[in-house]
Amino acid sequence: MSEEEASQPQGIDSLVLSEQGVRVVAQVSPAESRTPLTGGTVRNLLDQAGYGAWMILDDGIGVLVERWEGSPEGFEVPIAEKRDASVMVGVAADSSVAWLQVAPARGGKSLQRADVARALQQAGVVFGIDEKAVLVACKAVMPTKIEVAFQKPPVDGADAEFKLLIKTVAVRVPQVNEDGLIDFRELGDIPFVQPGTPLMRRIPATQGVPGRDVRGNAVQPTPGIDTPFANVLKGVRYSPGDFNVLEADIKGQPVQVENGMLVEDLLSMDSVDMDSGNVSFDGSIQIKGDVLANMKVKVTGNIVVGGTVEGAELEAGGDIQIGRGIIAHAKVKAEGAVSAKFVENSEISAGTVISIDDMVLQSELQALNQVIVGVKAQKRGRIVGGTTRSMMLVRAPQIGADDASGLTTVQVGVNPILEAKLLEVQAEIAKMEAEQENLKKAVQHLRANGDKNNVLPRAQAALQQALQAWAKLLKEKNKLEEQLAMFQDARVEVSQCVEGSVALIFGKRSRRLQKPYDAGAFTLDPTGHILHVDSRGSSTVVT
């Protein structure tokens, strides 16, 4: 109201509204009787008199109504009050965000940008202020809490990376896709490199970029894990003048391993028989012909055989590729993948994938990821007799045979190596956490009691190294748990049929099939039942 209007009392009967400074006072004249008065009537009077936007004093109106009816004497009571807008600043405990708690003006001075600036300054908020949010706060007509300042978050450092510098390389670090399957590729021709060939570049970890909180303080990033090249890498050397590049030190086969490269010697032979003798070799071997009965070939790298493995034993630290068959009670074991044209009466163990072009007869196969049969013979490919085990997938055109070939057992959802590795990593994590706790206590003690012998920097460095090693183990643990959890997606797929005497095992669930099944897939449902899903998508429980 204007000063002239304020000087003129407003009211009805014996009630007059008088503006006195920042208050509106109800002045009541003495009277023996009065027209009934309600709180609503008083509020209407205030609104009509131009005080509707002021702070209404409900307690004062209550007193006015009560004394109006019960007391003939005159009296005065404040019933409204003019208030300026007010603002309070709140800041998160970590200073990542600040907010305004706004009480809008009630007949008084509205909130101005300068008021907000002063309040933020007094609260120590100097960075990341959102001017648009401040404007919204200044225009608020209801009590409002609004965030108006935000930290600039730090950019964490990137972990060290390892980049191949050559296109063709044997890989012993299998890549698992989102379905839990390893992308299998046959070896093909063994690649060669000459001494001095650059093989791999290590891109060091970065420290990250600091951020700033709303008080203007630096927010430190988490540095990347600066994983070095693996400790023992044969056949390679550091590039002169650049310790982040590995190059070949010898002529041989380049092999990618975890956090590094190897160059393996390559042995080439026409065949392995009684004349050549058994073979034990640190590197890879290429055999143009056959490996005959009772012979043994053991290498740290890959084995490539152009012919047949007949009743022999092969063991490789990498992959094994057989051009023809594995027969006559041969035993073939690889840390990586095994591939062959066909298998009969033999045993195969692979650390990743078993891939057979044609058929598997009366044999024992175990792969830690998948077994694929009939790759190049969709009409004849089949698994008949014996036992075939895999973690994620067994795939064949046909499983079993409607004759006297005996029981064919197929098992998925088993990976004892991964389970053992997980237990080992969990034990290492527990050990590392105990070491971290001891180092933290040592650092705290040195800070609190002084560091006369300058031990603190070494203790802090040791703690940082322990934290990085712990973070690396956690990543490995999570990866192992993710791989083991994929067991629920394990499948047995057939493109033609299942017939004859067949047993299916999913983890600990087993079923001896009582009837033939057409093309489709066998899976495990969430309740633990083995299902057959046909090519049309219809599913039935295997009983």
Side-chain angles (χ1 to χ4, degrees):
M1 296 182 66
S2 67
E3 292 184 7
E4 182 179 353
E5 292 172 325
S7 65
Q8 297 178 6
Q10 311 284 323
I12 59 171
D13 295 339
S14 56
L15 171 61
V16 174
L17 303 182
S18 175
E19 184 176 331
Q20 300 179 11
V22 297
R23 288 186 170 185
V24 175
V25 177
Q27 297 177 330
V28 181
S29 302
E32 291 297 327
S33 64
R34 299 186 180 100
T35 303
L37 186 67
T38 65
T41 302
V42 177
R43 289 181 175 82
N44 287 337
L45 286 173
L46 286 167
D47 192 47
Q48 292 168 10
Y51 300 114
W54 289 36
M55 173 65 70
I56 306 301
L57 304 178
D58 292 330
D59 290 345
I61 291 177
V63 172
L64 171 60
V65 172
E66 181 180 355
R67 294 187 63 183
W68 176 274
E69 297 177 354
S71 175
E73 295 89 2
F75 63 91
E76 293 184 357
V77 59
I79 58 172
E81 188 173 86
K82 178 168 62 177
R83 293 185 181 177
D84 295 339
S86 64
V87 62
M88 295 181 63
V89 178
V91 181
D94 61 357
S95 299
S96 61
V97 63
W99 60 87
L100 299 180
Q101 193 75 49
V102 178
R106 303 301 298 271
K109 180 184 175 184
S110 62
L111 188 63
Q112 302 297 312
R113 175 64 182 87
D115 301 326
V116 174
R118 185 166 48 254
L120 291 171
Q121 185 70 32
Q122 291 172 351
V125 178
V126 297
F127 180 80
I129 298 171
D130 184 344
E131 291 298 336
K132 290 183 179 179
V134 171
L135 182 60
V136 171
C138 290
K139 293 181 177 181
V141 295
M142 298 291 291
T144 301
K145 178 182 177 181
I146 181 170
E147 293 178 343
V148 295
F150 305 88
Q151 75 168 6
K152 178 183 178 182
V155 178
D156 289 341
D159 294 345
E161 297 181 32
F162 298 87
K163 183 179 179 181
L164 283 172
L165 300 179
I166 55 175
K167 293 182 178 180
T168 306
V169 61
V171 179
R172 298 206 185 128
V173 189
Q175 298 300 311
V176 180
N177 66 20
E178 60 184 9
D179 297 320
L181 301 178
I182 290 173
D183 183 19
F184 170 73
R185 302 178 190 277
E186 290 190 351
L187 289 174
D189 294 332
I190 295 179
F192 285 96
V193 291
Q194 298 294 330
T197 303
L199 303 175
M200 175 177 282
R201 175 178 293 278
R202 189 185 82 96
I203 302 173
T206 61
Q207 292 299 307
V209 180
R212 289 181 69 189
D213 65 25
V214 297
R215 298 189 187 279
N217 300 315
V219 181
Q220 297 302 324
T222 300
I225 299 174
D226 199 29
T227 307
F229 282 122
N231 288 329
V232 181
L233 297 173
K234 296 181 180 180
V236 297
R237 65 194 181 206
Y238 293 119
S239 178
D242 191 346
F243 290 111
N244 285 313
V245 173
L246 290 179
E247 63 180 35
D249 193 35
I250 61 174
K251 177 183 177 180
Q253 178 190 16
V255 179
Q256 181 183 3
V257 295
E258 186 174 8
N259 303 333
M261 294 285 297
L262 306 174
V263 175
E264 295 179 333
D265 284 335
L266 178 66
L267 176 65
S268 181
M269 302 180 66
D270 290 332
S271 62
V272 176
D273 51 25
M274 294 298 293
D275 290 336
S276 68
N278 296 328
V279 178
S280 180
F281 185 65
D282 186 4
S284 295
I285 185 170
Q286 187 162 23
I287 303 167
K288 297 177 183 179
D290 301 328
V291 182
L292 298 185
N294 302 316
M295 305 309 298
K296 297 181 180 180
V297 179
K298 183 176 182 180
V299 302
T300 58
N302 299 326
I303 298 175
V304 177
V305 178
T308 299
V309 176
E310 181 181 350
E313 294 184 20
L314 273 60
E315 184 175 347
D319 299 334
I320 296 177
Q321 179 176 310
I322 312 299
R324 295 187 61 77
I326 302 173
I327 61 174
H329 304 285
K331 295 181 180 180
V332 175
K333 180 180 180 181
E335 294 295 323
V338 174
S339 64
K341 188 172 183 179
F342 62 90
V343 184
E344 184 175 2
N345 291 310
S346 296
E347 298 178 17
I348 301 177
S349 174
T352 57
V353 179
I354 295 174
S355 175
I356 307 300
D357 292 346
D358 201 320
M359 63 178 67
V360 175
L361 303 177
Q362 304 298 337
S363 296
E364 301 293 316
L365 274 60
Q366 176 162 319
L368 293 185
N369 189 258
Q370 56 188 302
V371 175
I372 306 172
V373 175
V375 175
K376 297 180 180 179
Q378 285 297 312
K379 292 185 178 180
R380 295 193 309 134
R382 63 196 61 200
I383 301 172
V384 177
T387 301
T388 300
R389 298 182 179 90
S390 174
M391 172 68 178
M392 293 304 303
L393 174 67
V394 172
R395 177 187 293 152
Q398 179 178 325
I399 295 177
D402 193 11
D403 54 26
S405 56
L407 177 66
T408 303
T409 301
V410 175
Q411 183 175 7
V412 292
V414 288
N415 194 327
I417 292 179
L418 277 184
E419 292 170 356
K421 182 64 175 175
L422 178 60
L423 291 175
E424 180 184 330
V425 170
Q426 288 172 333
E428 283 294 316
I429 288 174
K431 179 180 176 182
M432 192 64 65
E433 288 174 344
E435 182 180 340
Q436 284 180 44
E437 192 61 31
N438 290 334
L439 287 169
K440 286 178 182 178
K441 289 179 180 178
V443 169
Q444 291 171 354
H445 177 79
L446 290 168
R447 285 174 174 168
N449 299 284
D451 182 23
K452 296 180 181 179
N453 298 318
N454 197 29
V455 177
L456 182 58
R458 294 198 298 275
Q460 289 174 321
L463 177 58
Q464 186 64 32
Q465 290 176 356
L467 287 170
Q468 289 185 350
W470 174 72
K472 185 177 179 180
L473 285 170
L474 280 182
K475 286 185 178 180
E476 186 176 359
K477 171 179 170 289
N478 291 338
K479 185 177 180 180
L480 289 169
E481 288 176 339
E482 287 172 2
Q483 290 178 1
L484 287 170
M486 288 177 178
F487 154 65
Q488 295 297 330
D489 298 323
R491 298 164 63 84
V492 177
E493 298 179 359
V494 291
S495 57
Q496 293 182 17
C497 64
V498 175
E499 60 182 24
S501 181
V502 174
L504 290 183
I505 304 173
F506 280 74
K508 297 180 180 179
R509 295 274 184 172
S510 63
R511 285 290 182 272
R512 183 80 172 262
L513 303 190
Q514 303 298 317
K515 63 176 185 178
Y517 285 87
D518 293 332
F522 295 89
T523 64
L524 194 68
D525 74 6
T527 63
H529 293 104
I530 299 176
L531 301 180
H532 175 256
V533 183
D534 64 23
S535 57
R536 299 183 301 275
S538 300
S539 62
T540 56
V541 176
V542 176
T543 58

